[in-house]
Amino acid sequence: MRHIISTFFILLTFFSCNEKEQSKTKDSAKEEFTQADYDFLAIGNPEKMSSASKRALRNNYHKNEEWFGTFRNHEIKGDVGYEKGVIRRDPTMVIQVDGLYYTWYSKSIGKTYGFGTGDPEKKVFPWDKTEIWYATSKDGWDWKEQGVAVTFGPKGAYDDRSVFTPEILEHEGKYYLVYQCIQFPYVNRSFNTVGMSIADNPNGPWKRLEAPILEASKDGEWLGEEDSRFAVKTQGSFDSQKVHDPTLLYYKDKFYLYYKGERMGERNTAGGREIRWGVAIADNIKGPYVKSEYNPITHSGHELCIWKYKDGIAMVSSADGPERQTIQYSPDGINFEIMSYVNWVPSAMGLVTTLDNDKHPTEALSWGLHHLSKNYPGEPWWAGDQYLARFSFSRNRNTKAEFAKSKSD
Amino acid sequence: MRHIISTFFILLTFFSCNEKEQSKTKDSAKEEFTQADYDFLAIGNPEKMSSASKRALRNNYHKNEEWFGTFRNHEIKGDVGYEKGVIRRDPTMVIQVDGLYYTWYSKSIGKTYGFGTGDPEKKVFPWDKTEIWYATSKDGWDWKEQGVAVTFGPKGAYDDRSVFTPEILEHEGKYYLVYQCIQFPYVNRSFNTVGMSIADNPNGPWKRLEAPILEASKDGEWLGEEDSRFAVKTQGSFDSQKVHDPTLLYYKDKFYLYYKGERMGERNTAGGREIRWGVAIADNIKGPYVKSEYNPITHSGHELCIWKYKDGIAMVSSADGPERQTIQYSPDGINFEIMSYVNWVPSAMGLVTTLDNDKHPTEALSWGLHHLSKNYPGEPWWAGDQYLARFSFSRNRNTKAEFAKSKSD
């Protein structure tokens, strides 16, 4: 008799445990989506959903409206707009000191020849043989070029060929420029580094550190002797060849150096060029910067556009990869989720640090600087000119909230 | 004693059932991803993955390389390229009859005024007061305009104001044009329909059906009397106001009429304009076309570009929504999954029906026609001109397969 009962118990236990699993999935589905969600996505029959509708719900296309919006481009006045034969690109964030806006950028003059001319002195890219210059403005529209801030290091140093793509951080009354460095000669297989210069005043003088603060991981293996970025035995880490577009943020009492990694033997991905971002973290602003073991933190993006929002970090992913042209947010500076999808993203956005970022998820994007390219008929893209311009971001009209309001009118 | 044993059994059962769950998830994770997947995505430490790396694996950014590639634009010769003051847009698929390529398109001449002029005769959009014209070419580069194919219906008919955005299907020796129709007057709150004309010869004559083959669902409710598309009490279905860009495919012994739906009270979505695609299916080519209960089948896209590949249907999603600029595939014509992400998608692509689609996933995109817009300084976008051009699609070089090959060289 007892045996029968116990067998009954055992069976009962099996059932209850299967039941639990079923009801769990059922409830979570029920809890997860409301009729308002289905209406927002025009899903007429939740019992008969296409893969696209299931994906829309799974990927939260019905959420995060406060992150939706559109970028626009505006020409600026003064010295840093289009000038034939002059490269001005990759503006830093715009800081304000004594009521004056400041930005720094890569500047070079002279013809670009590309690789393989046989003359290692010839300029290979728009950002080759480039110095870091700066400009100021009272209103953010009319900019006056003030001169050079950081130039090449001494011959044989890590930064003797080009210093470019700067970013600025003001911290405890000092000014820190971080930027890409190239050592002579500039070839396809060149690795690069990130350098830092420090000043007590935005007008300088700037003092460079003797050593880079970040280096490419160099842990892939080239194939053959030919100077090809693409011929490799192994690719190595996401940043095995290049550490680009450094952006330095003071976050949670540490210094977060975000950067773009390019890989030896770069491949195409699901969305174009193989580009990923990483972060290196330091207790001291001069380093040492330790690369996060969670890198890469993106599988998309090009130039960095990244800012503090509430307790986390927000960013815009621009040109490359399956998640190009998205706005993302992470609660911890490492784990980013997609908030919205934008149709055009300005290149090399420099944000304005005096905006009240926490006022709204996209407040930091209200306006800023970026660069535009002018290519010439019959010339390769790298023979074109770049110049600074201004962008703005307009939030979505016609949101769920306004829809609710319009109905009550 | 027996009681103790039975209790032991019950506990055992609990454990085994929990263990089962754990090992299940563990195995599935193990099975799912190989070291090659981690290497392709540059994930150094699978035990320490960022959200982006987890998402990359979940969304298959490491798969479907045969779907990766890049679109390019090419100018064409002859009559249908840029012509000041003339609209030529939305080319159909390119069919070949007796060695001659044929395409049909929307054509109109004369100034566009936009809405609200007070004169209902005035042209409101580039595709307003538009007829369907056609052109032929020997080589697909040099096109000769042949004349009008389908014009407006009689006054008071569903198609008395504009016929536009055509698509062609050759079936059992007959030719079928499907296209958007607008009835007078053209206002912001106009609903539209899809019409069909039939000919025994690509040069016509074309005979229109007395009634549309597809209509907007009209199941939303406008708010107020003002002629605003955006003021609604309820939006209704994804296609409550517009059924656009019809594309007719003969698939699995039925006729699949794919179309773009626009919604009363259109909102912004996670990726711009609220645009979704649907499909209506018929046993007879003239209808009746029954809208699928799985609609919407996309939550993105603009003009349709859709073709048969193997046993399924492939498509390119263009301008709008979170999945704009993707290439997708469905095994059944209903359930589409994203295969790759493209950086630029031509507008209103017309594919070439004589290509061997099954040779490669993107063979159907080898070349075709699309339209370009020329806007004029100080004029609104709708006052610009549109003209036909040619696109090509180049597959990715530098794939995993070629990488493997390069290593073995």
Side-chain angles (χ1 to χ4, degrees):
Chain A
M1 174 58 185
R2 275 207 180 119
H3 183 68
I4 292 163
I5 293 170
S6 61
T7 319
F8 169 77
F9 273 120
I10 293 168
L11 290 169
L12 187 73
T13 323
F14 267 121
F15 283 124
S16 67
C17 132
N18 289 334
E19 260 183 320
K20 227 188 291 129
E21 275 187 88
Q22 285 162 17
S23 63
K24 202 195 308 152
T25 34
K26 217 152 119 242
D27 292 344
S28 62
K30 236 189 282 140
E31 283 157 14
E32 213 170 341
F33 306 117
T34 66
Q35 187 56 46
D37 296 331
Y38 296 128
D39 291 343
F40 184 71
L41 293 170
I43 295 169
N45 179 0
E47 303 302 313
K48 294 275 180 77
M49 286 198 285
S50 63
S51 296
S53 291
K54 292 173 189 166
R55 192 165 60 242
L57 288 163
R58 193 168 68 241
N59 293 351
N60 299 318
Y61 297 162
H62 56 301
K63 293 184 180 166
N64 310 319
E65 273 195 300
E66 66 280 12
W67 293 84
F68 300 177
T70 308
F71 284 104
R72 280 185 182 70
N73 170 62
H74 313 273
E75 299 288 317
I76 56 179
K77 289 175 285 172
D79 301 333
V80 297
Y82 172 66
E83 186 176 352
K84 177 93 174 83
V86 180
I87 304 290
R88 290 187 185 89
R89 51 175 294 142
D90 296 307
T92 63
M93 291 191 196
V94 176
I95 66 170
Q96 201 175 22
V97 183
D98 302 331
L100 208 56
Y101 289 116
Y102 285 77
T103 190
W104 290 257
Y105 46 90
S106 316
K107 181 183 180 184
S108 63
I109 299 173
K111 190 172 180 339
T112 298
Y113 294 86
F115 290 105
T117 61
D119 178 356
E121 292 300 338
K122 281 199 156 45
K123 190 173 179 223
V124 298
F125 273 134
W127 51 86
D128 183 20
K129 301 186 128 187
T130 297
E131 300 168 295
I132 297 166
W133 285 56
Y134 76 113
T136 60
S137 173
K138 285 196 177 66
D139 60 5
W141 287 102
D142 192 353
W143 290 86
K144 177 159 186 24
E145 187 161 73
Q146 297 292 352
V148 67
V150 177
T151 183
F152 319 120
K155 199 149 187 49
Y158 66 91
D159 53 353
D160 69 351
R161 172 64 179 229
S162 193
V163 290
F164 54 114
T165 321
E167 195 45 84
I168 185 79
L169 178 67
E170 181 179 6
H171 183 70
E172 292 177 350
K174 285 186 183 293
Y175 300 87
Y176 299 83
L177 281 170
V178 291
Y179 45 85
Q180 298 175 202
C181 306
I182 285 282
Q183 184 169 23
F184 179 90
Y186 197 161
V187 295
N188 282 299
R189 286 186 172 181
S190 287
F191 299 100
N192 87 297
T193 57
V194 171
M196 176 184 274
S197 288
I198 306 169
D200 297 325
N201 183 304
N203 300 298
W206 293 90
K207 191 172 186 332
R208 66 187 268 284
L209 299 185
E210 287 303 319
I213 59 169
L214 194 73
E215 304 200 18
S217 60
K218 302 183 183 177
D219 54 358
E221 193 183 352
W222 296 120
L223 175 76
E225 295 310 309
E226 188 203 336
D227 180 35
S228 162
R229 287 189 60 213
F230 301 110
V232 290
K233 286 182 179 151
T234 60
Q235 287 192 272
S237 304
F238 80 101
D239 60 352
S240 54
Q241 190 182 2
K242 305 285 186 187
V243 284
H244 278 182
D245 301 273
T247 302
L248 189 54
L249 296 181
Y250 182 57
Y251 177 58
K252 293 185 173 169
D253 301 323
K254 292 180 185 294
F255 298 91
Y256 279 58
L257 182 64
Y258 289 93
Y259 64 100
K260 180 181 86 185
E262 291 185 13
R263 208 175 179 191
M264 298 167 66
E266 178 182 295
R267 313 259 158 250
N268 285 301
T269 71
R273 288 189 61 192
E274 180 170 21
I275 297 291
R276 299 179 179 88
W277 295 2
V279 62
I281 302 169
D283 297 321
N284 182 306
I285 194 166
K286 295 186 192 175
Y289 284 90
V290 179
K291 292 176 182 179
S292 169
E293 52 192 354
Y294 288 90
N295 288 347
I297 57 170
T298 78
H299 288 265
S300 295
H302 199 82
E303 303 100 344
L304 271 77
C305 173
I306 199 155
W307 69 95
K308 280 188 279 187
Y309 173 64
K310 300 279 170 84
D311 295 332
I313 302 284
M315 65 92 151
V316 180
S317 171
S318 56
D320 299 308
E323 296 179 1
R324 77 268 183 279
Q325 299 182 315
T326 61
I327 302 180
Q328 303 192 20
Y329 177 72
S330 76
D332 56 7
I334 300 283
N335 294 292
F336 287 88
E337 297 295 344
I338 298 173
M339 296 290 119
S340 69
Y341 303 75
V342 275
N343 282 308
W344 173 70
V345 176
S347 293
M349 283 186 280
L351 304 179
V352 180
T353 61
T354 48
L355 294 167
D356 177 8
N357 288 7
D358 287 354
K359 216 171 108 187
H360 183 276
T362 62
E363 183 72 13
L365 301 175
S366 304
W367 74 275
L369 299 178
H370 68 117
H371 71 236
L372 293 171
S373 295
K374 182 168 171 56
N375 298 326
Y376 300 104
E379 298 273 328
W381 69 265
W382 45 256
D385 292 323
Q386 283 108 46
Y387 59 101
L388 303 192
R390 184 166 156 151
F391 71 82
S392 66
F393 184 84
S394 51
R395 297 169 198 168
N396 269 8
R397 291 177 314 285
N398 206 15
T399 60
K400 255 192 287 190
E402 290 177 22
F403 180 38
K405 188 176 163 303
S406 75
K407 285 204 295 183
S408 66
D409 289 350
Chain B
M1 175 58 185
R2 275 210 182 116
H3 183 69
I4 293 162
I5 293 171
S6 60
T7 318
F8 168 78
F9 272 122
I10 293 168
L11 291 168
L12 186 73
T13 323
F14 267 118
F15 283 123
S16 66
C17 131
N18 290 332
E19 258 183 320
K20 228 188 293 129
E21 275 186 89
Q22 285 162 17
S23 63
K24 203 194 309 151
T25 35
K26 216 153 122 240
D27 292 345
S28 63
K30 236 189 281 139
E31 283 157 15
E32 214 171 340
F33 306 117
T34 66
Q35 187 57 47
D37 295 331
Y38 296 128
D39 291 344
F40 184 73
L41 293 169
I43 295 170
N45 178 1
E47 302 303 313
K48 294 274 180 79
M49 286 197 285
S50 63
S51 296
S53 290
K54 292 174 189 165
R55 194 165 56 243
L57 288 162
R58 193 168 68 241
N59 294 351
N60 299 317
Y61 296 162
H62 56 300
K63 293 184 179 166
N64 310 319
E65 272 196 300
E66 67 280 9
W67 293 85
F68 300 177
T70 307
F71 284 103
R72 280 186 182 71
N73 170 62
H74 313 273
E75 299 288 317
I76 55 178
K77 289 176 287 173
D79 301 333
V80 296
Y82 172 65
E83 186 176 351
K84 177 93 173 84
V86 181
I87 305 290
R88 290 188 185 88
R89 52 177 291 141
D90 295 306
T92 63
M93 292 191 195
V94 176
I95 66 170
Q96 202 174 21
V97 183
D98 302 331
L100 208 57
Y101 289 118
Y102 286 77
T103 191
W104 289 258
Y105 46 89
S106 315
K107 182 182 179 183
S108 63
I109 298 174
K111 190 172 178 341
T112 298
Y113 293 87
F115 289 106
T117 60
D119 178 356
E121 292 299 337
K122 280 198 157 41
K123 191 172 180 227
V124 297
F125 274 134
W127 50 86
D128 183 21
K129 300 186 126 189
T130 296
E131 300 169 295
I132 297 166
W133 286 56
Y134 76 114
T136 60
S137 173
K138 285 196 178 66
D139 59 5
W141 287 102
D142 192 353
W143 290 87
K144 177 161 186 21
E145 187 161 73
Q146 298 292 351
V148 67
V150 177
T151 184
F152 318 120
K155 199 150 186 47
Y158 66 91
D159 53 353
D160 70 350
R161 172 67 179 226
S162 193
V163 290
F164 53 115
T165 321
E167 195 44 86
I168 185 79
L169 178 66
E170 181 179 7
H171 183 70
E172 292 178 350
K174 285 185 183 293
Y175 300 86
Y176 299 83
L177 280 170
V178 291
Y179 44 85
Q180 298 176 202
C181 306
I182 285 282
Q183 185 169 20
F184 179 91
Y186 196 160
V187 295
N188 281 299
R189 287 186 171 181
S190 288
F191 299 100
N192 87 297
T193 57
V194 171
M196 175 184 275
S197 289
I198 306 170
D200 297 323
N201 184 303
N203 300 297
W206 293 91
K207 191 173 185 330
R208 68 186 267 283
L209 298 185
E210 286 304 318
I213 59 170
L214 194 74
E215 303 200 19
S217 60
K218 303 183 184 176
D219 55 358
E221 192 182 352
W222 297 120
L223 174 76
E225 295 310 309
E226 188 202 338
D227 180 36
S228 162
R229 287 189 60 213
F230 301 109
V232 290
K233 287 182 179 151
T234 59
Q235 289 191 272
S237 304
F238 80 101
D239 60 352
S240 54
Q241 191 182 1
K242 305 283 186 186
V243 284
H244 279 183
D245 302 272
T247 301
L248 189 53
L249 296 181
Y250 183 56
Y251 177 58
K252 293 185 175 171
D253 301 322
K254 292 180 186 294
F255 299 92
Y256 279 59
L257 182 64
Y258 289 93
Y259 64 100
K260 180 181 85 184
E262 291 184 13
R263 206 175 179 191
M264 298 167 65
E266 178 181 295
R267 314 258 156 251
N268 285 301
T269 72
R273 288 189 60 193
E274 180 170 20
I275 297 291
R276 299 178 179 89
W277 294 2
V279 62
I281 301 170
D283 296 321
N284 182 307
I285 194 166
K286 295 185 193 176
Y289 284 90
V290 179
K291 293 176 181 179
S292 169
E293 52 190 354
Y294 288 89
N295 289 347
I297 57 170
T298 80
H299 288 264
S300 295
H302 199 83
E303 302 100 344
L304 271 76
C305 173
I306 198 155
W307 70 94
K308 279 187 280 187
Y309 173 64
K310 300 280 171 83
D311 296 333
I313 302 284
M315 67 91 151
V316 180
S317 171
S318 57
D320 299 308
E323 295 179 2
R324 77 268 182 279
Q325 299 182 314
T326 60
I327 303 180
Q328 303 192 19
Y329 178 72
S330 77
D332 56 7
I334 300 283
N335 294 292
F336 288 88
E337 297 294 344
I338 298 172
M339 295 290 120
S340 70
Y341 304 75
V342 276
N343 283 308
W344 174 70
V345 176
S347 294
M349 283 185 280
L351 305 178
V352 180
T353 61
T354 48
L355 294 166
D356 176 9
N357 289 7
D358 287 354
K359 216 172 110 188
H360 183 277
T362 61
E363 183 72 13
L365 301 175
S366 303
W367 74 275
L369 299 178
H370 68 117
H371 72 235
L372 292 171
S373 295
K374 182 167 171 55
N375 297 327
Y376 299 105
E379 298 272 326
W381 69 265
W382 45 256
D385 292 324
Q386 283 108 47
Y387 59 100
L388 303 192
R390 185 165 155 151
F391 71 82
S392 65
F393 184 84
S394 51
R395 297 169 199 168
N396 269 9
R397 293 177 313 283
N398 206 15
T399 60
K400 255 192 286 191
E402 290 178 22
F403 181 39
K405 188 177 164 303
S406 75
K407 286 203 294 183
S408 66
D409 288 351

